[in-house]
Amino acid sequence: MGILTGVTDKRVLDVRCDAHSLIVDLMDGRTISAPLAWYPRLLNATPDQRGHWEKAGGGYGIHWPDLDEDLSTEGLLRGAPAAKAA
């Protein structure tokens, strides 16, 4: 009996925000949701600024050019909030 290994594709398919969460759909069908409070730049942004995002890093990252914010799917999957400002 073999072990099934799922094919995962952690590249970004779509990104959206609601009033409290950042929601990222991945190419393999998974959806990641994290509190906006973890990402102060996104939390304090306007809906238009949050909606203006680009895929980065070959699709494994998200860049918000209006906010100078970058997140990776790896970090989101680990549940890593934004680093605290020094």
Side-chain angles (χ1 to χ4, degrees):
M1 182 175 201
I3 296 174
L4 294 176
T5 55
V7 176
T8 62
D9 188 346
K10 296 185 279 187
R11 291 177 296 157
V12 174
L13 176 65
D14 192 26
V15 176
R16 62 194 178 282
C17 296
D18 64 19
H20 305 285
S21 301
L22 167 66
I23 304 152
V24 180
D25 296 324
L26 303 181
M27 296 292 285
D28 64 9
R30 289 181 287 175
T31 298
I32 306 166
S33 179
L36 276 179
W38 285 8
Y39 311 104
R41 288 182 183 161
L42 293 175
L43 179 65
N44 295 314
T46 67
D48 285 342
Q49 289 172 318
R50 289 182 198 144
H52 182 209
W53 61 272
E54 303 167 347
K55 292 180 185 180
Y60 293 95
I62 310 159
H63 174 66
W64 285 267
D66 299 339
L67 305 171
D68 193 29
E69 179 73 287
D70 295 283
L71 299 175
S72 70
T73 56
E74 182 179 332
L76 289 166
L77 286 165
R78 276 196 333 261
K84 300 275 187 213

